[in-house]
Amino acid sequence: MQDHKPQGRLVIQIVAMPADTNANGDIFGGWLVSHMDMGAGIAGRRRARSRVVTAAIDSLIFIKPVSVGDTVCCYADVLKVGRTSMQIKMEAWIIACAEEKISKAAEGIFTFVAIDGHGKPHPVER
């Protein structure tokens, strides 16, 4: 079931460009995943107040293709905080260049780990 409005905090907004297309002329899925991952990293860094790294993409569903010229808006919601890790729900919504209607393009759950200056896991809550 598709939500009717984004959940979470807006962390990234970017316009999809022609160089980001796949062989079908749609925006390459990996481009969208990379922006969702970056947005989850921003939310994780903000929550842990430290560096964070992607540990896993636990689920990812593509709902609607992204077209050239669409504005992609990535929303993050920290769902769960463990000792050193966080689960972050990401939603990618698009605003078509010819419309102002927003629709969901993808959603997923990303797991991030808080790390210290030496790259070792440390508690999120310090």
Side-chain angles (χ1 to χ4, degrees), residues 94-106:
I94 54 175
I95 303 169
C97 61
E99 308 171 10
E100 280 300 313
K101 186 178 118 186
I102 189 167
S103 56
K104 191 187 292 187

Side-chain angles (χ1 to χ4, degrees), residues 6-14 35-46 72-78 88-92:
Q7 301 297 305
R9 183 176 186 174
L10 180 65
V11 288
I12 289 181
Q13 198 169 26
I14 189 166
H35 285 85
M36 293 173 75
D37 185 49
M38 193 179 315
I42 290 168
R45 184 179 67 208
R46 187 177 287 142
V72 176
C73 307
C74 295
Y75 293 84
D77 187 16
V78 178
I88 302 166
K89 180 177 182 188
M90 290 301 300
E91 295 183 355

Side-chain angles (χ1 to χ4, degrees), residues 42-85:
I42 290 168
R45 184 179 67 208
R46 187 177 287 142
R47 178 65 175 82
R49 297 176 323 281
S50 71
R51 291 175 55 201
V52 295
V53 293
T54 308
I57 299 175
D58 301 299
S59 68
L60 185 61
I61 301 166
F62 293 101
I63 299 164
K64 180 178 181 174
V66 178
S67 299
V68 171
D70 287 350
T71 299
V72 176
C73 307
C74 295
Y75 293 84
D77 187 16
V78 178
L79 298 178
K80 181 179 174 186
V81 176
R83 193 176 87 70
T84 62
S85 66

Side-chain angles (χ1 to χ4, degrees), residues 105-117:
E107 67 181 24
I109 306 293
F110 291 70
T111 298
F112 273 76
V113 173
I115 59 171
D116 63 20

